[in-house]
Every structure is written in structure tokens, then in C-alpha cells.
Amino acid sequence: MVALKGHACYGAINYASSGRYGRCPIFNGFLSKEMFFTETLATPVLGGISWLLPALAALGGILSVAYSLRLVHAVFFKPAREEPPKSPHEPPHLMRLPVEILVVLCVVVGLFPGLLATGLLELASETVIGSPLDFYLAIWHGVNLPLMMSLLAFVIGIAIYWRHGDVRRFTQQFKGVDARRVFERILISVGYRAEQLIAALDGNSLQRYVGWLWLAALLMGGIGLVQITDLTGAAGNQPLDGIVILGAGMLIFGVSPPPPPTATG
């Protein structure tokens, strides 16, 4: 890994981006992490094991702190493993400008979320769901469980990186397991099972395929019709006349009127 010691611009931008991804205070990442933790604690979708959602969220926060610390420390403070072929230098200002704007926005949203982000979130929620969401953005919400989860993520994340040598030695015992090969084997197995299921249901028979299609359509349509309590609706019935009868016949039996006669010369 090539170190970038002494490059202030690289350091400032990288510190800010790492703080954002590490969910540190004064950055917008800390605010989004608090909101994420709050939602996982208030979501009972898994019933008795709903505690699994905040546990996984806390684990993600721990890992984000650990890898952000590793990024900053390895790039700017540890000696380089090898000398780069060319000496690193500051990029031109126009190349830094987009990243600098993003860094400033991360800090501004983190410090003043109510002033900058509230209006945008209200506009986005009204566009997506048709009504504004009930939320309150602020840096401090008091001592609560999401804050404790954030502190836990910081403490354990720092401890993991501090003892990353022990973690690396622990993971070395699993070198014989190729994660990519395991993933590809799972994909092949799932694809093979899917082909078996399709062969059992389809059987290379058009009649069977059409039958399953009709059965699925009737089943899904029946589920929707069963839930309808009022079959008439608020509109009145159309008066029965010749045009209505002709249209109904065309829809039911596929009867189409004969083509108009063509003029002959």
C-alpha cells in the first residue's frame, strides 16, 4: 500500500469521507446512522426475533468504524509497503472541487440537519408517498438506545482495529475456504433446482404451460375478487340498447363487424 503522508488536501478530504462512512458526529453519516438505528428498534416485522434487526445494524456500524479507521491509518500514518513509481501530488483544483463540495455538504448537513435536509426530505416524501413524513432532524435527541448503539459501535470498532492483528490471525485459519467458489457453487445449485422445478411444472408441453398460466390468473384474480365487498360501485348501470348489446357481443364472442365495401372503379 502506498502512503500519502504530508498531503494535506488528500488528508482532509479522506478524513472527512472516512468520518462520514464511519458515522462520526458532525457528519451526515452520524445522523443517518441514528435514524437507521431508531427505525430498526421500532420495526416489529420479525415478531419475536425482531431484535435481530438492530443487532445486525449495530454489527454494520461496528464494521464501518473499523474499516474507516483502517483506511485513514493505513494510508496516512503507516509507512508505505513499497515506493510508488511516481511521487504523489495534489490534483488540480477542478478535480478536487466535486469532492470538496460533497465534504462541505456532509459537514453542513451533520451540523444543521433541520435547516438543510428537512425541506428536501419533506419534498421527497410528498413526491413518493403523497404526504409528508412525521420526523424531526437534530444533532442531539438525548440519551437513548440509538445513541448507546452508536457508542457501542465506536468502542468495539476501535477495539477491532486496535487488535486487527489478532483478527487477521483468526481469519487465516479459514484460508482453505474460497468464498467466490462457494458463492458460484450456490448459484449453480439454485439454477439447477430452478430448472428441475420448471421441468416438473412445464414438461415442455404448451398445454400444461397454458394451464398453469390460466390457473395462476384465476387464483390471483379470485383472491382480489373475494376481498371486494361492493360489486356494483357508485356509478349507475348503462341503459340496455342495441349499441351496448353489440359491444358486449364483440367483447364476449369476438364478433367484429364486416369491413366496409371498397369502391371499385
Side-chain angles (χ1 to χ4, degrees):
M1 181 177 292
V2 177
L4 298 176
K5 291 183 178 180
H7 292 272
C9 178
Y10 287 150
I13 293 176
N14 197 61
Y15 293 157
S17 60
S18 299
R20 181 256 184 272
Y21 288 111
R23 309 297 192 262
C24 297
I26 83 166
F27 295 103
N28 68 322
F30 181 78
L31 183 66
S32 63
K33 180 184 65 175
E34 294 283 298
M35 297 172 65
F36 183 64
F37 285 168
T38 302
E39 290 301 318
T40 58
L41 290 169
T43 304
V45 294
L46 298 180
I49 58 173
S50 293
W51 56 267
L52 188 61
L53 289 178
L56 292 175
L59 177 61
I62 292 170
L63 296 178
S64 66
V65 171
Y67 73 67
S68 298
L69 285 174
R70 185 177 188 273
L71 173 64
V72 174
H73 184 252
V75 173
F76 291 98
F77 295 97
K78 293 181 68 175
R81 296 180 181 176
E82 57 183 14
E83 290 297 326
K86 294 183 179 180
S87 177
H89 61 85
E90 299 283 358
H93 177 68
L94 290 179
M95 292 183 65
R96 300 197 311 263
L97 183 61
V99 182
E100 292 170 350
I101 293 175
L102 292 177
V103 169
V104 171
L105 289 176
C106 288
V107 176
V108 172
V109 173
L111 291 176
F112 310 102
L115 296 178
L116 188 61
T118 300
L120 295 176
L121 289 177
E122 289 179 351
L123 180 61
S125 62
E126 290 181 359
T127 303
V128 175
I129 64 176
S131 60
L133 291 174
D134 184 16
F135 61 88
Y136 173 68
L137 297 180
I139 299 178
W140 179 251
H141 292 277
V143 179
N144 51 22
L145 190 53
L147 179 62
M148 295 296 102
M149 293 171 65
S150 297
L151 294 178
L152 181 69
F154 278 114
V155 172
I156 299 181
I158 293 172
I160 287 177
Y161 183 66
W162 180 46
R163 306 295 298 181
H164 73 280
D166 297 334
V167 176
R168 180 176 297 178
R169 284 189 291 271
F170 173 75
T171 57
Q172 283 178 350
Q173 61 182 321
F174 303 104
K175 274 190 173 181
V177 179
D178 189 344
R180 185 181 64 178
R181 184 168 298 178
V182 172
F183 178 72
E184 291 176 350
R185 189 179 297 118
I186 293 175
L187 285 182
I188 294 174
S189 177
V190 171
Y192 177 71
R193 299 300 180 186
E195 291 178 355
Q196 285 185 324
L197 179 61
I198 292 174
L201 297 177
D202 188 359
N204 294 325
S205 171
L206 179 61
Q207 292 82 358
R208 185 182 299 181
Y209 177 77
V210 173
W212 282 112
L213 184 63
W214 273 98
L215 180 62
L218 292 174
L219 180 62
M220 300 305 296
I223 293 175
L225 291 175
V226 168
Q227 299 175 359
I228 297 177
T229 57
D230 190 1
L231 298 179
T232 58
N237 294 328
Q238 188 77 10
L240 189 62
D241 53 19
I243 297 178
V244 174
I245 295 175
L246 178 62
M250 293 173 60
L251 291 174
I252 296 174
F253 302 104
V255 178
S256 59
T262 57
T264 58

